[in-house]
Amino acid sequence: MHDGSHEILIKDALVFLIAAGLVVPALRMLKLPAVVGFILAGVALGPWGLGSFSDTWAPLGMFTIAEPEAAAPFAELGVLFLLFLLGLELSVEQLWSLRRIVFGAGIVQAAASAILLAVLATVFDFDLTAAIVVGLALALSSTAVVMQLMTANHQASAPVGRTALGVLLFQDILVAPILIFVGFASTDAGGNLGTVLLEAAVQGVLAVGVLLLVGRFLLRRLFQMAADAGGRDFLMAITLLTVVGAAVLTASAGLSIALGAFLAGLMLGETEFKHQTEVDLDPFKGLLLGLFFMTVGLGLDLGVIAQQWPLVLAGLISLLVVKYAIAWVAVRIFGRSRELATETAGLLAPAGEFAFVVLAAGVAGGVISGDQATLVSAVAGLSMLLIPVTWRGSQSLMRRMQNKGQGHATTLPAENAELENHVIIAGFGRV
């Protein structure tokens, strides 16, 4: 069985490389975004796509991913690298300029979305506790898909990218409290919820504090030591240690692993090794993120979608409308223009990858049934598939508003501060 497991893993890796090297480029020729291409490839090559016909025709099994759960750890690495590289592109000053969005719009968006979605879930015959879990699961958006879209379209440092990132960062902070609540909502939970939340908050603050201290006083020296030792191999090793180590530190405190990777990138971005690290990690980030998006497609149960399509469609429309409206209002309240709120809301309206984690915890605790979780997962997965569509739609609406002269400038304070007094050298290097 041990040898068989290795054979399955190697075969699944081959299927992924076929998707990354052949299927997704073919879909790109049809003008589909890479994110959508990987998700569709995951749907087609997963157990609910071609895999469902492998019993009828055995050779199809060679072109399907048999063990999607085995790819999950590698897929998470793609998310880590994405957030790490985003941190590299920002500075501490730029992040501080986003504090109103992070702790203002982020709080309004997450709280209002969770409440209204929970109320809607009761309309779909969920009991109160299950409805709250569904509301919390769907309130958060997809950091991985949204920021990959922003990076691929060179919008990560633009006003829309920075505004979306601010809200998404606050959502990452909510990981620990939401999982703690879901645990206490289970039938076997005991103890005092307030005490546990306080302990989690203290642990989170300590973990972030340790991470910032290491980044401030040790990180540059460690990278300099690796560079002096002679070569990019050592720099790559210390970079991987930084990314994974920061993620483990925040995860051990109950926070999001993505938050740890982002903070590590933020600290390394203050050093002279910033650009070398970006060049070294970019190819790994692309492939591993592609694997992550494929796991999203692998989780879409086409059978449930086909059997209960009216419920799935109603849930999907309700989710997008409610979250879009709330995100628009939240961004507007904290000083952003109509156009910027319109475009940002299109990115934040769909659900995110964290929905699957919350729903799995709810099923394990007996708070929500497996059938209910499967239905909500289908809605969440389809909404993630539509993120490029909702973004493009919101961009079209934004342009109409601009043409009518209803909006204002969409700049953020200190957006170009780091571009002052710079010198551009052309032609220096191998090229």
Side-chain angles (χ1 to χ4, degrees):
M1 180 173 292
H2 185 70
D3 292 337
S5 298
H6 278 289
E7 290 176 2
I8 292 174
L9 185 61
I10 293 173
K11 189 266 294 180
D12 286 354
L14 180 62
V15 172
F16 166 69
L17 292 175
I18 291 174
L22 299 176
V23 178
V24 175
L27 293 174
R28 287 287 289 158
M29 294 177 66
L30 300 176
K31 306 300 182 182
L32 288 177
V35 171
V36 175
F38 275 111
I39 295 178
L40 291 178
V43 172
L45 303 177
W48 312 110
L50 293 178
S52 61
F53 300 101
S54 59
D55 292 337
T56 306
W57 192 38
L60 284 177
M62 295 300 298
F63 299 96
T64 60
I65 294 179
E67 295 184 357
E69 62 278 0
F74 300 100
E76 288 186 355
L77 283 176
V79 180
L80 293 187
F81 286 149
L82 171 66
L83 269 295
F84 179 74
L85 291 172
L86 286 172
L88 283 177
E89 295 177 4
L90 286 174
S91 66
V92 176
E93 290 77 12
Q94 286 177 319
L95 185 62
W96 180 247
S97 71
L98 295 176
R99 62 190 181 277
R100 282 173 55 83
I101 289 294
V102 175
F103 297 105
I107 291 175
V108 172
Q109 185 276 332
S113 295
I115 293 171
L116 288 182
L117 289 173
V119 172
L120 274 175
T122 61
V123 175
F124 286 90
D125 293 330
F126 285 77
D127 62 60
L128 181 59
T129 306
I132 293 174
V133 172
V134 170
L136 292 171
L138 298 179
L140 309 187
S141 308
S142 176
T143 301
V145 179
V146 169
M147 297 318 300
Q148 171 63 10
L149 275 178
M150 293 293 93
T151 302
N153 290 275
H154 310 290
Q155 295 289 309
S157 297
V160 62
R162 295 174 63 199
T163 303
L165 177 61
V167 176
L168 291 168
L169 282 177
F170 181 79
Q171 293 181 359
D172 283 337
I173 296 173
L174 292 180
V175 170
I178 290 177
L179 286 179
I180 290 171
F181 172 81
V182 173
F184 270 82
S186 66
T187 55
D188 297 328
N192 185 279
L193 178 60
T195 302
V196 176
L197 287 175
L198 180 60
E199 291 177 357
V202 172
Q203 291 177 355
V205 170
L206 288 176
V208 172
V210 169
L211 191 57
L212 294 178
L213 286 175
V214 171
R216 177 68 177 83
F217 297 105
L218 291 179
L219 202 57
R220 178 180 273 106
R221 296 178 182 178
L222 292 174
F223 271 79
Q224 188 62 58
M225 180 182 67
D228 293 341
R232 297 175 65 181
D233 296 342
F234 297 113
L235 282 175
M236 177 61 73
I238 195 67
T239 299
L240 294 176
L241 174 62
T242 302
V243 178
V244 179
V248 169
L249 180 61
T250 53
S252 64
L255 297 175
S256 166
I257 59 174
L259 180 62
F262 175 80
L263 291 175
L266 193 67
M267 294 298 99
L268 186 58
E270 303 292 326
T271 72
E272 61 270 28
F273 299 97
K274 167 183 177 179
H275 300 293
Q276 180 67 54
T277 303
E278 288 178 326
V279 172
D280 289 341
L281 286 186
D282 195 60
F284 297 98
K285 179 208 72 175
L287 275 177
L288 292 172
L289 261 181
L291 182 57
F292 168 79
F293 297 133
M294 279 192 67
T295 61
V296 174
L298 291 171
L300 283 176
D301 191 332
L302 299 182
V304 171
I305 295 173
Q307 292 173 5
Q308 304 188 51
W309 69 265
L311 272 178
V312 173
L313 181 60
L316 179 61
I317 293 174
S318 301
L319 170 69
L320 294 179
V321 170
V322 168
K323 287 191 65 180
Y324 186 96
I326 292 173
W328 191 92
V329 171
V331 174
R332 282 289 288 149
I333 287 175
F334 289 91
R336 301 301 184 249
S337 67
R338 293 180 182 179
E339 294 94 340
L340 184 55
T342 299
E343 186 175 6
T344 305
L347 292 167
L348 300 176
E353 55 277 358
F354 187 60
F356 306 107
V357 179
V358 176
L359 293 172
V363 171
V367 179
I368 184 172
S369 69
D371 291 340
Q372 289 176 326
T374 302
L375 182 64
V376 177
S377 295
V379 172
L382 285 175
S383 71
M384 291 178 66
L385 180 62
L386 292 176
I387 291 177
V389 178
T390 58
W391 179 42
R392 295 300 182 189
S394 63
Q395 281 186 315
S396 298
L397 184 58
M398 177 195 68
R399 283 191 287 269
R400 290 183 183 180
M401 295 173 63
Q402 289 177 330
N403 292 336
K404 292 180 179 179
Q406 294 179 350
H408 309 284
T410 56
T411 56
L412 293 183
E415 181 179 352
N416 297 318
E418 66 175 3
L419 300 181
E420 295 179 358
N421 301 320
H422 271 54
V423 175
I424 299 175
I425 302 176
F428 182 76
R430 289 172 294 180
V431 178

